[in-house]
Short mmCIF file of all heavy atoms in Angstrom, two decimals:
data_model
loop_
_atom_site.label_atom_id
_atom_site.label_comp_id
_atom_site.label_asym_id
_atom_site.label_seq_id
_atom_site.Cartn_x
_atom_site.Cartn_y
_atom_site.Cartn_z
N ARG A 470 86.71 70.71 45.42
CA ARG A 470 86.24 71.98 44.87
C ARG A 470 85.57 72.84 45.93
O ARG A 470 85.45 74.04 45.78
CB ARG A 470 85.25 71.72 43.74
CG ARG A 470 85.93 71.15 42.52
CD ARG A 470 84.98 71.03 41.37
NE ARG A 470 85.66 70.47 40.23
CZ ARG A 470 85.05 69.87 39.25
NH1 ARG A 470 83.75 69.75 39.26
NH2 ARG A 470 85.75 69.38 38.25
N GLN A 471 85.14 72.20 47.01
CA GLN A 471 84.48 72.92 48.10
C GLN A 471 85.41 73.96 48.73
O GLN A 471 84.99 75.01 49.15
CB GLN A 471 84.06 71.91 49.18
CG GLN A 471 82.62 71.99 49.55
CD GLN A 471 82.27 70.87 50.51
OE1 GLN A 471 82.87 69.81 50.55
NE2 GLN A 471 81.27 71.11 51.30
N LYS A 472 86.67 73.62 48.85
CA LYS A 472 87.73 74.49 49.36
C LYS A 472 87.47 75.07 50.75
O LYS A 472 87.94 76.14 51.08
CB LYS A 472 87.99 75.63 48.37
CG LYS A 472 88.52 75.12 47.05
CD LYS A 472 89.20 76.21 46.30
CE LYS A 472 89.85 75.76 45.04
NZ LYS A 472 89.14 74.96 44.12
N GLY A 473 86.72 74.39 51.58
CA GLY A 473 86.49 74.85 52.94
C GLY A 473 85.51 76.01 53.01
O GLY A 473 84.85 76.35 52.03
N HIS A 474 85.43 76.61 54.18
CA HIS A 474 84.53 77.74 54.37
C HIS A 474 84.98 78.57 55.57
O HIS A 474 85.87 78.17 56.31
CB HIS A 474 83.08 77.24 54.56
CG HIS A 474 82.91 76.37 55.76
ND1 HIS A 474 83.16 75.02 55.72
CD2 HIS A 474 82.52 76.65 57.02
CE1 HIS A 474 82.92 74.50 56.93
NE2 HIS A 474 82.54 75.47 57.73
N THR A 475 84.35 79.73 55.76
CA THR A 475 84.69 80.62 56.87
C THR A 475 83.65 80.48 57.96
O THR A 475 82.47 80.38 57.68
CB THR A 475 84.72 82.09 56.37
OG1 THR A 475 85.56 82.14 55.21
CG2 THR A 475 85.29 83.00 57.41
N GLU A 476 84.11 80.47 59.21
CA GLU A 476 83.21 80.39 60.35
C GLU A 476 83.54 81.49 61.35
O GLU A 476 84.65 82.03 61.35
CB GLU A 476 83.31 79.03 61.04
CG GLU A 476 82.70 77.91 60.24
CD GLU A 476 82.61 76.61 61.02
OE1 GLU A 476 82.92 76.61 62.24
OE2 GLU A 476 82.24 75.60 60.43
N LEU A 477 82.58 81.78 62.21
CA LEU A 477 82.79 82.75 63.27
C LEU A 477 82.78 82.03 64.61
O LEU A 477 81.89 81.22 64.87
CB LEU A 477 81.65 83.79 63.27
CG LEU A 477 82.12 85.20 62.92
CD1 LEU A 477 81.52 85.58 61.60
CD2 LEU A 477 81.74 86.14 64.00
N TYR A 478 83.77 82.30 65.46
CA TYR A 478 83.82 81.70 66.79
C TYR A 478 84.21 82.78 67.77
O TYR A 478 85.29 83.36 67.68
CB TYR A 478 84.83 80.55 66.82
CG TYR A 478 84.95 79.90 68.17
CD1 TYR A 478 83.93 79.11 68.68
CD2 TYR A 478 86.08 80.10 68.96
CE1 TYR A 478 84.03 78.52 69.92
CE2 TYR A 478 86.20 79.52 70.20
CZ TYR A 478 85.17 78.73 70.68
OH TYR A 478 85.28 78.15 71.92
N ARG A 479 83.31 83.10 68.70
CA ARG A 479 83.52 84.13 69.72
C ARG A 479 83.98 85.45 69.09
O ARG A 479 84.93 86.09 69.55
CB ARG A 479 84.52 83.67 70.77
CG ARG A 479 84.00 82.49 71.56
CD ARG A 479 84.91 82.16 72.70
NE ARG A 479 84.35 81.06 73.46
CZ ARG A 479 84.79 80.67 74.62
NH1 ARG A 479 85.79 81.29 75.18
NH2 ARG A 479 84.24 79.66 75.24
N GLY A 480 83.32 85.79 68.01
CA GLY A 480 83.59 87.06 67.36
C GLY A 480 84.77 87.07 66.41
O GLY A 480 85.00 88.05 65.71
N ALA A 481 85.53 85.99 66.40
CA ALA A 481 86.69 85.93 65.51
C ALA A 481 86.35 85.07 64.29
O ALA A 481 85.75 84.00 64.42
CB ALA A 481 87.89 85.34 66.24
N GLU A 482 86.74 85.54 63.14
CA GLU A 482 86.50 84.80 61.91
C GLU A 482 87.71 83.92 61.62
O GLU A 482 88.84 84.35 61.75
CB GLU A 482 86.27 85.79 60.77
CG GLU A 482 85.70 85.16 59.52
CD GLU A 482 85.37 86.21 58.47
OE1 GLU A 482 84.28 86.78 58.52
OE2 GLU A 482 86.25 86.42 57.61
N TYR A 483 87.45 82.67 61.24
CA TYR A 483 88.56 81.78 60.87
C TYR A 483 88.12 80.89 59.71
O TYR A 483 86.93 80.67 59.49
CB TYR A 483 89.05 80.96 62.06
CG TYR A 483 88.05 79.97 62.60
CD1 TYR A 483 88.13 78.62 62.25
CD2 TYR A 483 87.03 80.36 63.46
CE1 TYR A 483 87.22 77.71 62.74
CE2 TYR A 483 86.12 79.45 63.94
CZ TYR A 483 86.22 78.13 63.59
OH TYR A 483 85.31 77.22 64.07
N VAL A 484 89.11 80.38 58.99
CA VAL A 484 88.85 79.56 57.81
C VAL A 484 88.99 78.09 58.17
O VAL A 484 89.98 77.69 58.79
CB VAL A 484 89.82 79.92 56.67
CG1 VAL A 484 89.61 79.02 55.46
CG2 VAL A 484 89.67 81.37 56.28
N VAL A 485 88.00 77.31 57.79
CA VAL A 485 88.06 75.86 57.95
C VAL A 485 88.45 75.30 56.59
O VAL A 485 87.64 75.25 55.67
CB VAL A 485 86.70 75.29 58.41
CG1 VAL A 485 86.76 73.77 58.51
CG2 VAL A 485 86.27 75.90 59.73
N ASP A 486 89.75 74.93 56.45
CA ASP A 486 90.25 74.44 55.17
C ASP A 486 89.84 72.99 54.91
O ASP A 486 89.49 72.62 53.80
CB ASP A 486 91.77 74.52 55.11
CG ASP A 486 92.26 75.96 54.99
OD1 ASP A 486 91.52 76.78 54.43
OD2 ASP A 486 93.36 76.24 55.47
N PHE A 487 89.93 72.17 55.94
CA PHE A 487 89.64 70.75 55.79
C PHE A 487 88.28 70.45 56.40
O PHE A 487 88.06 70.69 57.58
CB PHE A 487 90.73 69.91 56.46
CG PHE A 487 92.06 70.03 55.78
CD1 PHE A 487 93.02 70.91 56.26
CD2 PHE A 487 92.33 69.28 54.66
CE1 PHE A 487 94.24 71.03 55.62
CE2 PHE A 487 93.55 69.40 54.00
CZ PHE A 487 94.51 70.27 54.49
N LEU A 488 87.41 69.88 55.58
CA LEU A 488 86.05 69.58 56.01
C LEU A 488 85.95 68.13 56.46
O LEU A 488 86.60 67.25 55.90
CB LEU A 488 85.08 69.84 54.86
CG LEU A 488 85.10 71.28 54.35
CD1 LEU A 488 84.33 71.39 53.06
CD2 LEU A 488 84.52 72.22 55.40
N PRO A 489 85.12 67.85 57.47
CA PRO A 489 84.96 66.46 57.92
C PRO A 489 84.25 65.62 56.87
O PRO A 489 83.26 66.05 56.29
CB PRO A 489 84.12 66.59 59.19
CG PRO A 489 83.43 67.90 59.08
CD PRO A 489 84.30 68.78 58.25
N LYS A 490 84.80 64.45 56.61
CA LYS A 490 84.24 63.50 55.65
C LYS A 490 84.33 62.10 56.26
O LYS A 490 84.98 61.89 57.27
CB LYS A 490 85.01 63.52 54.33
CG LYS A 490 85.03 64.85 53.61
CD LYS A 490 83.71 65.18 53.01
CE LYS A 490 83.78 66.50 52.24
NZ LYS A 490 82.52 66.84 51.63
N ILE A 491 83.69 61.16 55.60
CA ILE A 491 83.77 59.75 55.99
C ILE A 491 84.34 58.98 54.81
O ILE A 491 83.91 59.16 53.68
CB ILE A 491 82.37 59.19 56.34
CG1 ILE A 491 81.79 59.88 57.57
CG2 ILE A 491 82.42 57.67 56.53
CD1 ILE A 491 82.48 59.56 58.87
N LYS A 492 85.31 58.09 55.10
CA LYS A 492 85.83 57.20 54.06
C LYS A 492 85.31 55.81 54.33
O LYS A 492 85.52 55.25 55.41
CB LYS A 492 87.36 57.19 54.03
CG LYS A 492 87.90 56.25 52.96
CD LYS A 492 89.36 56.46 52.60
CE LYS A 492 90.28 56.12 53.71
NZ LYS A 492 91.70 56.08 53.27
N VAL A 493 84.60 55.26 53.35
CA VAL A 493 84.05 53.90 53.43
C VAL A 493 84.89 53.03 52.51
O VAL A 493 85.08 53.37 51.34
CB VAL A 493 82.58 53.88 52.99
CG1 VAL A 493 82.02 52.46 53.04
CG2 VAL A 493 81.74 54.80 53.86
N GLU A 494 85.41 51.92 53.04
CA GLU A 494 86.23 51.01 52.24
C GLU A 494 85.61 49.62 52.26
O GLU A 494 85.18 49.15 53.32
CB GLU A 494 87.64 50.92 52.82
CG GLU A 494 88.39 52.24 52.82
CD GLU A 494 89.71 52.15 53.55
OE1 GLU A 494 89.71 52.30 54.78
OE2 GLU A 494 90.73 51.89 52.88
N LEU A 495 85.57 48.98 51.09
CA LEU A 495 85.07 47.61 51.03
C LEU A 495 85.78 46.85 49.92
O LEU A 495 86.18 47.43 48.92
CB LEU A 495 83.55 47.58 50.84
CG LEU A 495 82.95 48.35 49.68
CD1 LEU A 495 81.80 47.56 49.09
CD2 LEU A 495 82.43 49.68 50.19
#
């Protein structure tokens, strides 16, 4: 539901679609 977010890098705006997460398996 987060659907990524928008960031600014060196004056250019870009969309970060995939966010970093951690998968824990046990």
Side-chain angles (χ1 to χ4, degrees):
R470 290 186 181 158
Q471 234 174 333
K472 296 200 175 49
H474 61 275
T475 309
E476 288 189 6
L477 246 113
Y478 179 71
R479 296 187 178 191
E482 193 174 275
Y483 66 100
V484 177
V485 178
D486 288 331
F487 293 97
L488 301 169
K490 301 287 183 179
I491 295 291
K492 179 164 67 169
V493 178
E494 298 173 275
L495 53 142

